Amino acid sequence: MKKWILSGFCMLFLIFLSACSNNEPSSSDSTNEKDSEKTEKSEISITFRTGGGTNQGLINWLNDTVIPKFNEEHPDVTVNLVPLEVSEGDYFAKVSLLLQSEDSAPDIVTEDTFMVNSDASAGYLEPLDDRIEAWEGWGEITDTVKKGVTAEDGSIYGVPYNTDTRGLWYNKELLKEAGITIPWEPANWEDVLNAAIAVKETFGDEVVPLWMNSGKATGEATSMQTFEMLLYGTDDPLYDFDEEKWIVKSDGLLSAFQFIDNVYESELGPNLSQVLNGQGSSIAYQELMPNNKLAIGLDGMWQTGNWHENGPAPWPEFEETLGYAAMPTENGQEPGSTSMSGGWALSIPAKSDNKDMAWAFIKMASTPEMNLDLQLNDRNITPFQSASEDSAYQELPFFEEATSFVETTNFRPAVDKYPNVSTVIQTLVEQVVTDAITPEQAVEQYQKQVTDIVGADKTIER
Amino acid sequence: MNSSSRTLTIRSIFFLLPSWFLLLIFFIGPILLTFYFSFTNLALTGAQAQQMQFVGFDNFVTMFQDANFRISVVKTILFLLLSAIIGQQLLGFLLAFLMKEKNTTFRRIIGIIVIAGWVTPEIVVAFCWVAFLNDNGTLNAIIHALGMDGVTWLYTFPLISVCIANIWHGTAFSMLVFQASLDDVPKSIEEAAKMDGASKLQILFRLIVPIVKGSIVTNMILVTLQTLGVFTLIYAMTGGGPGTATQTLPIFMYNQAFVNYQLGYGTAISLVLLLIGVVASLFYIRSMKVQV
């Protein structure tokens, strides 16, 4: 019996040992390992967000233009696209998780510029200063856009590939039928509401008068396309750069929440089941607008990317049917209109195992010619001065309007805590829209929650 | 202790070592780590992702001052009461009771239908119910066919919708537990009671319920713990919205940890969730005066 126990124990011990062992390669394996290391090194992966037609322009550009060109110079290198099929709100959390580990970090990641500072402070991104210094292409990029990829520590963490502006898309035919003069040039917020009211009176439930992203599920789009487009049209921004403090109480905050509340109280907005949805933006610009079911939409210029022949919802008549008006300031005060600009950049994760090849890829993709090709697909504003002078680019529909909004545009505060404040905004906007709280309560909660996040010494009241 | 029994003890400890080792790494370790993180300001991004600091009870103080946390506690309790205690427990018992002593074919058919809900994965259950209750879903299609206006179920009655889905999903578990324990009730006692002139309700409440009391408590604890942890179903059906209408504690925790990037705060919320589970279990055991 004892023998049995002893031999059983030995077996167990052996199993345990083999399970814990490191699988050290024997000498004959080492050549194989070197080979596999070589193959590993000749692969780079790119992570970006997709789903519901998102970034189709970027994908087409990568597949049809950049990767073939890159492979001409580096035939041994395989470029893997690793898209994340998630809602906008989830993308940044997923990216943060991916970048934490060497096993999951891609070699290139597309970063929304509002996350660059925060991800850089977390140590997720590789500073590119030395590489950029040795690269003549950097001088081609306009200076304002460079700010978006420069973190608080003064280092650069990405190469921008687009920027954008936001305004009011409107359906000329619907507005004309509702008795509004075309071209529509609203002078203040009241004009916007009145136009929506006129549409409602003319078409009833057939047409959604005014679409603004309003839920947590649409993430940053709710903060930027809706709340900040309103807030920056008042006299109070989010952040006071002179004092380096967050403005946690102001008339502007109340006005912005009140406007949103007004739209839904007066039933000028879409059905809540449509707008409080991760797919909200696709519903508005791929389903409703091309079918003449949406009169006005407060959103970015990239939405035209939906409607061209290779887009997810081709709509040949969009150029004649639509107009793009500047978002007015609250009471029409100086400078009369407002916009927000952001943009995306190609960054290298700190834990990428193939940084040199990734940089070679980014350099090659970031030339005026390559970027022009991207904008013709993706329909955003190019950060390259010389590309913006190209006639094909200037002839893009609504390019002229969208670029004119740059004159009065604003940028999000590029400080560490912005992403956290942004999620507070998204939650409060959704709560106002669903009548869980009043605009006054939203302002109170904004003050409390933002103070909790940034600390009382970093806040001021106006 | 004589020498042979001491050898046996030492030997058994020796054999148990690997499992202790595994438990420590994969079970106790993460729990202790969670406990530790809940006292820090660890974040998913930003400077605190790299250099977290020990913040004492700050996370808990913030939590109890947070109106959204209070809303989440209320929603969690409502969800628990409606879907677990009233829904799954009562319905499960009722089904088991009605099926008692029915013929096998009948029991089998009803059993298969109910168990279908149980074997369906949570995420599939969520999609089935979204497909059914959606604006353009099956239920509204039926309502339209009857010539009436559809209702935006998931937005007008979000909490009720997720409760119904959870009841549909979980009732089979309670039913199976009760079926097994009801079969153990001796027929002779029931017959004796009937001879003495007891009504059906009297037999149920004064005879059967006291006998199966132990199963009721066990089931109540299991169902409560399961329901406290429901995340996928609610997240896929409503995302915790609209507003805060279905924001139970797991959803609130996820939002704080992965949407607001506050991992430390998120883990503190998960500890509170754990505590609620423990308190609820103790409460059931005490109130039913059973020994588990």
Side-chain angles (χ1 to χ4, degrees), chain B residues 5-264:
Chain B
S5 75
R6 189 177 299 140
T7 331
L8 201 70
T9 317
I10 291 171
R11 198 176 290 161
S12 57
I13 288 175
F14 197 70
F15 279 118
L16 279 172
L17 267 179
S19 52
W20 273 103
F21 180 70
L22 291 175
L23 264 181
L24 202 73
I25 289 186
F26 294 109
F27 192 69
I28 318 254
I31 290 179
L32 290 179
L33 212 59
T34 305
F35 195 75
Y36 172 66
F37 284 153
S38 67
F39 292 97
T40 68
N41 62 358
L42 179 68
L44 196 58
T45 177
Q48 285 146 12
Q50 218 171 15
Q51 297 148 338
M52 62 171 174
Q53 289 154 340
F54 191 77
V55 293
F57 285 93
D58 276 12
N59 284 332
F60 295 91
V61 173
T62 316
M63 194 189 310
F64 289 109
Q65 287 173 346
D66 190 343
N68 274 318
F69 171 74
R70 290 195 290 272
I71 292 171
S72 302
V73 172
V74 173
K75 298 290 174 190
T76 310
I77 293 171
L78 274 177
F79 182 62
L80 193 67
L81 273 176
L82 293 173
S83 76
I85 312 293
I86 298 178
Q88 295 183 8
Q89 175 97 349
L90 272 188
L91 191 64
F93 188 84
L94 200 72
L95 281 169
F97 186 68
L98 291 177
M99 279 160 72
K100 194 170 173 269
E101 288 163 35
K102 293 287 182 301
N103 72 50
T104 347
T105 325
F106 179 80
R107 281 177 76 141
R108 223 171 258 170
I109 293 171
I110 298 289
I112 288 171
I113 294 171
V114 181
I115 289 169
W118 174 246
V119 296
T120 314
E122 209 168 77
I123 186 72
V124 182
V125 173
F127 276 107
C128 288
W129 280 92
V130 168
F132 185 66
L133 297 173
N134 215 355
D135 295 3
N136 307 318
T138 322
L139 186 57
N140 275 346
I142 297 170
I143 293 174
H144 286 309
L146 295 173
M148 289 182 285
D149 280 341
V151 180
T152 52
W153 299 103
L154 287 170
Y155 289 84
T156 320
F157 307 103
L159 191 66
I160 302 292
S161 302
V162 291
C163 282
I164 291 174
N166 193 39
I167 294 170
W168 186 85
H169 178 51
T171 302
F173 179 78
S174 303
M175 187 191 82
L176 291 172
V177 170
F178 290 129
Q179 252 182 354
S181 64
L182 285 179
D183 285 344
D184 288 343
V185 176
K187 251 193 168 156
S188 55
I189 305 182
E190 244 180 280
E191 269 160 18
K194 229 181 257 174
M195 298 274 274
D196 288 343
S199 69
K200 274 206 159 175
L201 275 182
Q202 277 175 323
I203 294 177
L204 175 66
F205 286 111
R206 307 186 72 162
L207 193 79
I208 297 180
V209 170
I211 293 176
V212 299
K213 203 163 74 173
S215 308
I216 294 178
V217 174
T218 315
N219 188 53
M220 201 108 117
I221 294 172
L222 290 174
V223 165
T224 299
L225 295 180
Q226 262 163 22
T227 306
L228 278 178
V230 169
F231 171 79
T232 317
L233 186 78
I234 302 180
Y235 194 73
M237 279 181 76
T238 63
T244 50
T246 52
Q247 183 185 274
T248 56
L249 277 173
I251 302 272
F252 183 60
M253 183 188 81
Y254 175 85
N255 282 338
Q256 295 304 324
F258 296 104
V259 180
N260 294 355
Y261 317 116
Q262 303 294 329
L263 282 179

Side-chain angles (χ1 to χ4, degrees), chain A residues 5 9 16 90 92-93 96-97 100 115 118-119 121-124 216 271-273 276 416-417 419-420 423 430-431 434 448-449 452, chain B residues 11 14-15 18 21 44-50 62 65 67-68 135 152 155 235 241-244 247 254-255 258-262:
Chain A
I5 293 174
F9 175 72
F16 205 74
D90 284 337
F92 309 110
S96 299
L97 290 170
Q100 281 181 356
M115 288 299 290
S118 170
D119 280 349
S121 334
Y124 296 154
K216 287 182 286 188
N271 199 322
L272 288 185
S273 62
L276 302 183
D416 194 15
K417 295 290 182 189
N420 304 70
T423 58
E430 179 160 325
Q431 285 180 303
T434 53
K448 203 192 149 296
Q449 292 182 29
D452 282 346
Chain B
R11 198 176 290 161
F14 197 70
F15 279 118
F21 180 70
L44 196 58
T45 177
Q48 285 146 12
Q50 218 171 15
T62 316
Q65 287 173 346
N68 274 318
D135 295 3
T152 52
Y155 289 84
Y235 194 73
T244 50
Q247 183 185 274
Y254 175 85
N255 282 338
F258 296 104
V259 180
N260 294 355
Y261 317 116
Q262 303 294 329

Side-chain angles (χ1 to χ4, degrees), chain A residues 228-248:
Chain A
E228 286 159 29
M229 280 296 283
L230 292 165
L231 185 70
Y232 280 81
T234 71
D235 300 323
D236 307 298
L238 274 177
Y239 190 81
D240 187 322
F241 277 100
D242 297 330
E243 303 248 355
E244 297 191 344
K245 285 177 179 176
W246 290 89
I247 301 166
V248 288

